[in-house]
Amino acid sequence: LQKSLNETFGADKYSEARKEVLTNMFSRPMQMALYFCTGVLEDETLFRHYALNVPFYTHFTSPIRRYADVIVHRLLSASLGASSPIKMEKEAIQRQADHCNDRKMASKRVQELSADLFFAIFVRV
């Protein structure tokens, strides 16, 4: 996809902006990752990461960035014995995951609407 975009848009002063907008639009249909508590899911095939083709997968970044990452760091630390066990039921952890998913979806929607507005203004000119 990237190669096709590079070949199609050439090197004029707007080519990078067009590529960026269209790349963003092409990636929208991809399924977003969802946070979930493994303790509430019985089907371990749901833990799979399709694109990486691995059966078990977890992802997190610096805990200063997202609350979901704070939770993962705490759970990982507790599972490794580096801190006290988490005093939350798995259902409570799943509710936190659902809330993080809702906020992430809302943020993504605003980002998409912003890109749509930019694109509309761009093609109008």
Side-chain angles (χ1 to χ4, degrees), residues 7-72:
E7 291 172 359
T8 301
F9 288 115
D12 67 28
K13 68 180 184 176
Y14 296 113
S15 63
E16 280 301 313
R18 285 193 300 269
K19 275 194 301 192
E20 189 73 29
V21 169
L22 289 174
T23 300
N24 183 313
M25 293 173 88
F26 289 145
S27 67
R28 280 186 197 171
M30 294 180 184
Q31 183 179 10
M32 284 184 58
L34 295 175
Y35 299 111
F36 62 92
C37 176
T38 58
V40 301
L41 297 179
E42 303 212 2
D43 183 1
E44 288 188 359
T45 62
L46 297 174
F47 304 172
R48 179 173 199 75
H49 190 289
Y50 177 78
L52 296 177
N53 194 28
V54 292
F56 296 99
Y57 178 80
T58 189
H59 172 83
F60 55 93
T61 59
S62 169
I64 62 170
R65 199 163 157 223
R66 292 183 290 232
Y67 183 62
D69 297 320
V70 171
I71 293 172
V72 172

Side-chain angles (χ1 to χ4, degrees), residues 74-116:
R74 289 177 183 167
L75 291 169
L76 183 59
S77 178
S79 71
L80 294 173
S83 65
S84 302
I86 303 296
K87 295 180 178 159
M88 286 177 75
E89 297 293 323
K90 60 187 173 187
E91 293 79 13
I93 294 171
Q94 183 58 50
R95 283 192 301 275
Q96 290 294 320
D98 290 339
H99 178 74
C100 290
N101 288 330
D102 290 343
R103 297 296 84 216
K104 185 169 70 164
M105 296 287 190
S107 173
K108 178 123 175 91
R109 183 68 183 135
V110 169
Q111 180 183 5
E112 289 171 353
L113 290 170
S114 174
D116 289 348

